[in-house]
């Protein structure tokens, strides 16, 4: 069996990566060791951040998730049965600058179902009961041919051989792919242990179904209360030394239910149906590398005459928990993993399709690994505070862990909701010498513009659907720009365009004085789009937005030739001579 990409792990990260690659015409072989019917249907990840929702919306998946989830726009904090203002999860009430101005609570089983159904529509499937046991590097018989032979062991005892150009390990914190590739998993487990319980409950606590609630206690730390989908509630608190002394390391369900009820005092709580409870240790680990090639993998010693040391034409990637682990304190696990997958997918597809130089794949690690470092740094503090301990890194005057907890969440709100996640400027994708007000490597603003005729409002992100292509937003128009149309035609295979016209007119043709717009045209009636991107309404400008919604470059309207310089850095000069994706073979 030959495939472009072998993905190990069919959780949210593996599924969303496979879905994108299939959507972009790339052949995928997706395996999952544990059959879906045997997996824990409750627990696991349960929060989707606003930025993640934006990214999923650009992939056409947000509406299905909204049908399932619980939208949180409000929050509350209680101490000794009394409400405490501006503490805990207060930042949830101040989410702005996005259509998804809320936290979506939806348990992972529902998220996975949405992703699986989307994958199936793209003729993709999951090979359940199959796990990777070994791989070897194979000599290429032709340019950019498959480089890995992977041995898969199936649940019936049989084996399957898959030849793949790229392998992606999305197989969790105990990743087999990471271990076989010889990639170190740096970090350690803490002494902290947390209880998580999902249940149908009855309570007299006010605001129990408005959003996340923080309950400050003496005996149970900072208790998390989260209303979930389908009438469920998730409750979490630290498994304290007192509990361990009383129950040992293996408490019963009755023990955990008793402590859960005690954690809500003085409010009353009845656990009507308990779906799941668990105790897990808090650990913070980070893969030393997110990518290895046949020559850089510590496990392999490929002949130097077969692969160069900077070869990106094949290799092994890590994503999600296989690359980074942290607590569920700020609900970043699945969100960060989905961001990994969306960052990687368009780059991988573009290389396989022959659009982009393989060196672009190096930006996956240089962008996503520092993002994980920031998440882990924050999570170390948050997990300590939720356990009732002041983190060693805290230098402020406050001594109450609950107050510091609220302070840190407020200070890091943009990171937690994902809207502040950004990548450093570089010489390849995020050029520092751009114009406009949006910094390269930062999220492109999602603003409202207007359709011609009806002037109905439409979001930019609705226009800029993620097909793996860049978006070129043209603010304004001119005859000189029309004369440079050949530049846009050259970029057409891997770019889409839209023209944004300041003000309004009865027709696009009148507004552009007979000139043809680049892509569909929209009116910026209130000039807000121009303002947010930092372009004067009279002089305009051009913004290049990456497939993952990140601004890559911006230039004045009369500098169209600069687009050539930007894309020449990573676009293949002769795409027709570069490898093409394998024809999809069903893979059933």
């Amino acid at each position: 069996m030959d495939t472009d990409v072998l993905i190990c792990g069919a959780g949210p990260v593996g599924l969303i990566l496979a879905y994108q690659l299939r959507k972009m015409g790339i052949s995928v072989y997706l395996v999952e060791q544990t059959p879906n019917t045997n997996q824990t249907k409750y627990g696991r990840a349960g929060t989707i951040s606003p930025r993640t929702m934006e990214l999923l919306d650009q992939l056409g998946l947000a509406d299905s998730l909204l049908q399932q989830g619980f939208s949180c726009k409000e929050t509350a904090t209680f101490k000794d049965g009394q409400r405490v203002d501006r503490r805990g999860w207060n930042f949830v009430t101040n989410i702005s600058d996005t259509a998804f101005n809320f936290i979506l609570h939806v348990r992972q089983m529902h998220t996975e179902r949405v992703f699986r159904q989307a994958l199936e529509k793209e003729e993709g499937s999951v090979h359940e009961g199959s796990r990777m046991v070994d791989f070897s590097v194979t000599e290429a018989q032709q340019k950019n041919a498959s480089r890995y032979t992977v041995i898969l062991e199936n649940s019936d005892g049989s084996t399957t051989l898959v030849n793949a150009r790229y392998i992606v390990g999305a197989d969790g914190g105990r990743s087999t792919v990471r271990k076989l590739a010889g990639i170190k998993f740096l970090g350690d487990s803490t002494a902290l242990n947390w209880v998580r319980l999902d249940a149908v409950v009855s309570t007299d606590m006010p605001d129990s179904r408005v959003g996340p609630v923080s309950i400050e206690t003496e005996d149970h730390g900072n208790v998390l209360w989260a209303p979930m989908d389908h009438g469920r509630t998730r409750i979490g608190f630290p498994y304290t030394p007192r509990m361990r002394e009383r129950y040992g390391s293996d408490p019963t369900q009755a023990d955990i239910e008793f402590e859960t009820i005690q954690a809500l005092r003085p409010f009353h709580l009845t656990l009507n149906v308990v779906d799941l409870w668990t105790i897990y240790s808090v650990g913070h680990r980070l893969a030393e590398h997110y990518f290895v090639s046949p020559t850089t993998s510590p496990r392999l010693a490929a002949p130097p005459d077969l692969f160069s040391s900077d070869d990106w034409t094949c290799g092994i990637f890590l994503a999600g928990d296989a690359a980074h682990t942290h607590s569920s304190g700020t609900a970043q696990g699945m969100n960060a993993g989905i961001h990994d997958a969306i960052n990687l997918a368009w780059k991988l597809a573009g290389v396989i399709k022959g659009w982009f130089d393989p060196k672009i794949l190096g930006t996956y690690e240089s962008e996503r690994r520092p993002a994980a470092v920031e998440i882990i740094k924050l999570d170390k503090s948050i997990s300590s505070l939720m356990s009732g301990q002041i983190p060693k890194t805290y230098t402020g005057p406050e001594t109450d862990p609950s107050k510091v907890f609220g302070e840190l969440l407020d200070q890091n709100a943009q990171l937690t909701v994902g809207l502040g996640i950004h990548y450093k400027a570089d010489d390849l994708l995020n050029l520092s010498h751009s114009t406009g007000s949006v910094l390269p490597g930062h999220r492109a603003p999602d603003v409202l513009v207007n359709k011609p005729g009806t002037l109905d409002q439409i979001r930019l992100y609705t226009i800029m659907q993620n097909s793996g292509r860049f978006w070129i937003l043209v603010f304004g128009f001119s005859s000189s720009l029309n004369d440079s149309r050949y530049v846009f035609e050259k970029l057409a295979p891997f770019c889409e365009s839209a023209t944004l016209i300041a003000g309004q007119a009865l027709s696009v043709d009148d507004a552009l004085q007979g000139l043809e717009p680049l892509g569909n045209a929209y009116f910026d009636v209130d000039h807000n789009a121009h303002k947010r991107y930092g372009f004067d309404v009279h002089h305009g400008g051009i913004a290049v937005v990456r497939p993952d919604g990140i601004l890559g470059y911006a230039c004045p309207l009369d500098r169209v030739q600069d687009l050539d310089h930007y894309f020449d850095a990573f676009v293949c000069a002769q795409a027709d001579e570069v490898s093409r994706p394998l024809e999809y073979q069903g893979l059933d």
Side-chain angles (χ1 to χ4, degrees):
M1 174 67 68
D2 290 339
T3 188
D4 290 314
V5 183
L6 170 70
I7 303 173
C8 295
V13 178
L15 287 169
I16 200 66
L17 178 61
Y19 166 66
Q20 291 176 91
L21 292 174
R22 284 300 309 130
K23 195 178 177 72
M24 299 171 195
I26 305 301
S27 64
V28 175
Y29 198 92
L30 173 61
V31 300
E32 170 55 51
Q33 178 177 344
T34 307
N36 192 48
T37 54
N38 295 340
Q39 291 188 30
T40 303
K41 292 187 178 297
Y42 307 105
R44 300 188 291 168
T47 300
I48 304 181
S49 72
R51 179 56 178 158
T52 304
M53 287 299 297
E54 287 185 342
L55 295 173
L56 294 174
D57 189 37
Q58 288 184 287
L59 291 169
L61 300 175
D63 286 347
S64 295
L65 290 167
L66 292 174
Q67 292 291 327
Q68 300 292 328
F70 184 96
S71 302
C72 303
K73 294 185 179 182
E74 300 293 334
T75 184
T77 300
F78 294 101
K79 182 175 183 179
D80 299 327
Q82 301 299 313
R83 188 184 300 275
V84 182
D85 292 332
R86 302 190 61 79
R87 290 249 280 272
W89 307 96
N90 182 68
F91 72 90
V92 171
T93 65
N94 298 312
I95 299 172
S96 61
D97 194 32
T98 175
F100 300 97
N101 59 342
F102 52 85
I103 301 292
L104 187 70
H105 283 170
V106 54
R107 288 170 294 169
Q108 185 171 322
M109 62 179 179
H110 300 298
T111 302
E112 288 187 4
R113 184 170 66 247
V114 169
F115 291 176
R116 278 186 179 238
Q117 290 172 349
L119 176 61
E120 289 168 0
K121 289 181 180 179
E122 298 297 333
E123 299 183 358
S125 60
V126 180
H127 297 265
E128 295 182 349
S130 183
R131 67 186 186 96
M132 178 177 171
V133 295
D134 203 0
F135 70 89
S136 59
V137 62
T138 57
E139 185 174 356
Q141 300 300 314
Q142 59 188 37
K143 187 176 181 180
N144 293 332
S146 298
R147 303 287 183 89
Y148 292 102
T149 297
V150 180
I151 303 174
L152 301 175
E153 183 178 87
N154 305 313
S155 56
D156 62 2
S158 64
T159 59
T160 301
L161 296 182
V162 177
N163 296 314
R165 184 171 165 187
Y166 294 99
I167 299 170
V168 180
D171 49 344
R174 296 182 176 88
S175 171
T176 298
V177 174
R178 187 186 64 240
K179 293 173 183 176
L180 289 175
I183 301 174
K184 294 179 181 178
F185 207 31
L186 307 175
D188 51 38
S189 296
T190 70
L192 304 177
N193 291 276
W194 283 359
V195 175
R196 283 289 181 270
L197 179 143
D198 287 1
V200 178
V201 305
S202 300
T203 182
D204 59 0
M205 183 179 72
D207 297 335
S208 63
R209 295 293 293 178
V210 301
V213 176
S214 175
I215 307 168
E216 301 175 3
T217 73
E218 292 291 336
D219 293 337
H220 294 79
N222 200 303
V223 179
L224 167 69
W225 174 282
M228 304 298 290
D229 57 88
H230 299 85
R232 264 59 182 180
T233 298
R234 176 164 296 178
I235 305 170
F237 51 88
Y239 191 66
T240 64
R242 175 190 63 79
M243 297 178 199
R244 183 172 295 278
E245 182 178 346
R246 180 174 180 179
Y247 306 118
S249 59
D250 190 24
T252 66
Q253 178 168 328
D255 297 333
I256 296 302
E257 290 184 3
F258 173 79
E259 291 295 340
T260 302
I261 293 170
Q262 294 300 302
L264 252 71
R265 293 178 303 172
F267 302 118
H268 297 93
L269 173 67
T270 301
L271 301 173
N272 301 315
V273 178
V274 176
D275 290 333
L276 170 136
W277 68 271
T278 186
I279 298 177
Y280 67 96
S281 61
V282 176
H284 302 100
R285 295 182 183 273
L286 182 67
E288 185 175 26
H289 298 289
Y290 278 26
F291 172 88
V292 290
S293 69
T295 53
T296 59
S297 170
R299 177 176 178 267
L300 296 174
D305 58 341
L306 182 58
F307 302 101
S308 65
S309 60
D310 59 349
D311 192 358
W312 297 95
T313 58
C314 69
I316 300 172
F317 293 92
L318 299 178
D321 287 355
H324 46 81
T325 61
H326 20 89
S327 81
S328 61
T330 55
Q332 292 301 304
M334 182 177 69
N335 287 287
I338 290 175
H339 286 232
D340 290 345
I342 291 175
N343 184 288
L344 178 60
W346 67 269
K347 297 172 182 177
L348 201 51
V351 168
I352 294 171
K353 291 167 79 74
W355 293 345
F356 307 142
D357 189 304
K359 69 182 179 183
I360 199 175
L361 297 175
T363 65
Y364 170 64
E365 178 173 326
S366 65
E367 291 182 342
R368 291 305 304 157
R369 194 172 185 276
V373 170
E374 288 300 307
I375 290 171
I376 290 173
K377 178 182 177 182
L378 173 62
D379 187 70
K380 285 182 177 180
S381 296
I382 293 298
S383 57
S384 293
L385 290 166
M386 293 185 74
S387 300
Q389 303 172 15
I390 297 288
K392 295 178 180 179
T393 55
Y394 178 70
T395 58
E398 186 56 63
T399 58
D400 184 343
S402 294
K403 292 182 180 180
V404 179
F405 174 71
E407 286 179 13
L408 283 186
L409 285 180
D410 280 344
Q411 293 168 7
N412 294 276
Q414 288 298 95
L415 173 63
T416 302
V417 301
L419 300 174
I421 293 173
H422 61 276
Y423 309 129
K424 290 183 178 180
D426 56 28
D427 296 325
L428 195 64
L429 290 177
N430 313 314
L431 296 192
S432 57
H433 56 276
S434 296
T435 59
S437 59
V438 182
L439 295 174
H442 289 241
R443 165 184 173 267
D446 182 21
V447 296
L448 291 169
V449 293
N450 306 83
K451 297 179 180 180
T454 65
L455 296 183
D456 288 343
Q457 291 185 320
I458 182 172
R459 293 168 42 230
L460 267 185
Y461 277 23
T462 301
I463 298 167
M464 297 190 298
Q465 289 294 287
N466 183 355
S467 64
R469 294 173 171 82
F470 283 74
W471 275 91
I472 300 178
L473 300 180
V474 180
F475 291 77
F477 212 79
S478 66
S479 57
S480 61
L481 185 66
N482 193 58
D483 294 338
S484 302
R485 192 174 293 272
Y486 70 92
V487 174
F488 295 89
E489 293 172 351
K490 173 185 174 182
L491 302 176
F494 43 86
C495 289
E496 300 182 70
S497 301
T499 299
L500 307 179
I501 305 167
Q504 66 183 85
L506 295 177
S507 75
V508 171
D509 185 72
D510 282 358
L512 299 183
Q513 300 179 357
L515 298 176
E516 190 73 19
L518 289 159
N520 286 334
Y522 302 88
F523 290 114
D524 184 15
V525 174
D526 60 5
H527 300 171
N528 190 45
H530 283 70
K531 179 181 178 181
R532 290 299 308 280
Y533 280 80
F535 295 127
D536 181 83
V537 295
H538 301 294
H539 299 100
I542 300 173
V544 178
V545 181
R546 300 172 9 170
D548 53 358
I550 297 294
L551 186 98
Y553 180 63
C555 64
L557 201 59
D558 59 358
R559 297 286 299 178
V560 177
Q561 65 271 23
D562 289 353
L563 294 181
D564 251 347
H565 300 316
Y566 172 73
F567 285 103
D568 280 350
F570 58 87
V571 169
C572 292
Q574 295 177 311
D576 57 340
E577 294 183 8
V578 188
S579 67
R580 298 298 186 200
L582 295 169
E583 183 177 354
Y584 187 63
Q585 302 175 32
L587 304 181
D588 292 328

